[in-house]
Amino acid sequence: QLPPPDHLPLVGRRAIITAGPTHEPIDPVRFLGNRSSGLQGYAIAGALSRLGANVTLISGPTSLEFPRGVNGARVETAEEMRSATLAALPADIVVCAAAVADWRVDHATNSKIKKQPGQSPPVLTLVPNPDILAEISAVGPERPRLVIGFAAETDDVEENAIAKRARKGCDWIVANDVSTGTNVMGGPQNRAILITEAGVERWPRMPKDELASRLAERIAEQFTDDAP
Ligand code: CTP
Ligand code: CA
């Protein structure tokens, strides 16, 4: 059965999505980053918007255009992403799809680090970045009703994702196998395991935009039966 053309179950709901990588500066020309393309997060933002939600997309550096109808904001670092996400609260739904760098360089320099003949390479000291998903999950009276995280894993995907859901305090986890060879990171397809309070759902491999639509419909189900 096809949904009616006015299938807008998320009208009146606010959603915040984080997407893409973060870049952590080393000096003005270098950074630490990761292979996230932002595709999955952007697709989720678009899918929620198409269901009527008011969507804010907080994006790390990507080559993608913001989906139609979405309020987009660009950030570089994990700390900027954290501030922008907290500033966008309150919301009903938060989806943390960003591949936030776990660490940043403790003191990025304002001038370019130069090679010094005869000297050994620089040693970078890393410090942990704030955990945006954990913070949003514990935000108190303003806590969004549905907080969803992703889990990028290369081993023991299900066990690690279940443990991650508990550790982060979020409601759902969408777990992906990102081992080399799966081509999930940066690729067009994804295979997800959805972990909720009710248990584990193994979804088939599908394009990232299809996964986004399916997740958006699943989110909408949580918000039916009661007015905004
Ligand atoms: N996340 C976040 N802020 C961070 C790190 C992660 O918001 N500083 C979010 C991601 O957006 C994702 C979830 O937490 O939704 C899990 O990210 P992941 O990298 O899989 O988990 P980590 O807790 O960082 O653990 P590890 O990388 O060691 O597996
Ligand atoms: Ca991580």
Side-chain angles (χ1 to χ4, degrees), residues 98-103 131 152 164 168:
V100 183
D102 291 324
W103 305 281
D131 189 321
K164 198 165 274 181
K168 303 274 190 174

Side-chain angles (χ1 to χ4, degrees), residues 38-163:
L39 273 176
Q40 187 64 82
Y42 277 58
I44 293 166
L48 288 170
S49 173
R50 285 194 299 277
L51 295 187
N54 174 342
V55 178
T56 298
L57 173 60
I58 297 164
S59 174
T62 71
S63 58
L64 305 173
E65 274 177 43
F66 292 132
R68 182 198 302 267
V70 159
N71 313 304
R74 294 202 186 268
V75 298
E76 285 282 317
T77 66
E79 292 196 302
E80 289 166 10
M81 186 172 276
R82 171 186 177 271
S83 307
T85 306
L86 292 176
L89 289 173
D92 303 287
I93 302 151
V94 173
V95 183
C96 290
V100 183
D102 291 324
W103 305 281
R104 66 177 179 276
V105 177
D106 66 345
H107 298 294
T109 58
N110 289 325
S111 40
K112 185 184 169 191
I113 304 170
K114 300 290 287 178
K115 282 176 294 188
Q116 304 292 349
Q119 276 193 10
S120 44
V123 173
L124 301 178
T125 305
L126 304 182
V127 294
N129 266 330
D131 189 321
I132 303 165
L133 176 61
E135 197 169 337
I136 299 283
S137 297
V139 81
E142 274 206 330
R143 187 191 190 280
R145 189 159 121 202
L146 190 57
V147 181
I148 305 175
F150 272 70
E153 306 288 348
T154 56
D155 306 283
D156 305 322
V157 178
E158 217 169 287
E159 295 85 332
N160 276 326
I162 289 168

